[in-house]
Amino acid sequence: MMKDTKNKLLQTAVRLFACRGTEGVSTRELAGQAGVNLCAISYHFGSKQKLYEAVIDQVIETVNQNLPTENIETDGKDSPREGVKNVIERYFDFLCGDKISDAQARLVINEIISPSSAYDKIYQHILEPAHKQISKLAAQELGVDENSPSVLILTHTLFGQAVMFRTHKEALLRRMKIRQYTPELVKEIKKHIKENCDAILEQARRNL
């Protein structure tokens, strides 16, 4: 029963926090919409902020379960360039697929746009591992230092493609007059992402 109460609070919190942030949601509303006693928040989590941190921990767990943050860059058979494309494609599939809920994805995006005290966790467990994987592979492809400013900016440009198709999903759907990403559209997006990776890396090589 207590576990049930805790889960209800977490499910309600991720939805409300994703829409309005922690400041826009009161503990009374959280408890009311979860259908639990107001004191349940302090009993299970200590405070509204701690509840938010627990929600972020759930998001990180979802990422770790569905998108391992280690050893996803390449199996050793592909070139570094193909490895870059593989990493970005997997993050695109995760962010734009059904492995992460809309509310969870929105929370991550909210933290990217307007970092809170929970951003450190998002950065450490989600963003930094992806960034390091891509920068390592891009550096191998170009034969340069993976920690150089130019490679880090290049990595941000490459990785931004996966994030963009999540953050600007609604705009694209409206322009195309459809309600959701279709398998055909996802295939077309991936084709463009891979072509962009090739073009970006080729230009970076010419700039050396």
Side-chain angles (χ1 to χ4, degrees):
M1 186 69 165
M2 290 199 325
K3 186 176 181 182
D4 221 31
T5 299
K6 187 175 182 179
N7 286 337
K8 285 180 181 178
L9 280 169
L10 285 167
Q11 289 169 10
T12 302
V14 68
R15 175 172 53 84
L16 293 179
F17 288 152
C19 291
R20 304 206 301 272
T22 56
E23 296 301 317
V25 183
S26 69
T27 53
R28 188 173 298 279
E29 183 180 12
L30 281 164
Q33 292 212 20
V36 303
N37 193 288
L38 181 59
C39 65
I41 293 175
S42 58
Y43 178 81
H44 288 285
F45 301 100
S47 66
K48 182 174 67 172
Q49 181 59 35
K50 291 294 183 183
L51 172 55
Y52 179 68
E53 291 175 9
V55 166
I56 294 298
D57 287 339
Q58 267 197 338
V59 174
I60 291 169
E61 184 179 352
T62 299
V63 173
N64 289 338
Q65 287 176 348
N66 294 283
L67 186 63
T69 54
E70 296 180 10
N71 300 320
I72 73 168
E73 60 262 22
T74 179
D75 58 9
K77 298 176 183 177
D78 293 328
S79 67
R81 179 179 297 199
E82 290 304 310
V84 168
K85 291 188 274 189
N86 289 342
V87 173
I88 295 170
E89 181 177 8
R90 291 189 65 174
Y91 273 90
F92 167 82
D93 283 336
F94 177 71
L95 288 171
C96 298
D98 58 5
K99 299 297 185 182
I100 186 170
S101 71
D102 285 340
Q104 287 180 317
R106 198 176 300 122
L107 277 175
V108 174
I109 292 165
N110 289 347
E111 283 291 339
I112 291 173
I113 295 171
S114 182
S116 74
S117 59
Y119 179 78
D120 284 347
K121 286 185 176 182
I122 295 289
Y123 177 76
Q124 181 182 352
H125 296 283
I126 301 176
L127 302 176
E128 186 181 35
H131 213 275
K132 284 186 173 180
Q133 289 161 1
I134 297 168
S135 61
K136 178 180 178 181
L137 289 162
Q140 289 174 358
E141 171 71 16
L142 300 173
V144 295
D145 178 10
E146 64 186 90
N147 295 310
S148 67
S150 60
V151 168
L152 296 181
I153 293 170
L154 175 67
T155 298
H156 223 58
T157 303
L158 291 163
F159 185 44
Q161 295 182 93
V163 177
M164 179 189 69
F165 279 103
R166 179 72 214 202
T167 57
H168 297 289
K169 178 181 178 181
E170 185 60 29
L172 180 58
L173 293 179
R174 289 191 185 196
R175 284 300 310 275
M176 301 189 78
K177 295 180 171 57
I178 57 177
R179 292 183 178 275
Q180 60 186 8
Y181 282 159
T182 63
E184 295 76 19
L185 180 56
V186 166
K187 184 177 179 180
E188 183 69 15
I189 290 171
K190 288 183 181 181
K191 175 175 174 287
H192 280 283
I193 287 176
K194 290 179 180 180
E195 288 174 349
N196 288 344
C197 287
D198 283 328
I200 291 167
L201 289 167
E202 279 299 323
Q203 184 61 50
R205 183 179 294 280
R206 286 195 291 270
N207 289 341
L208 289 176

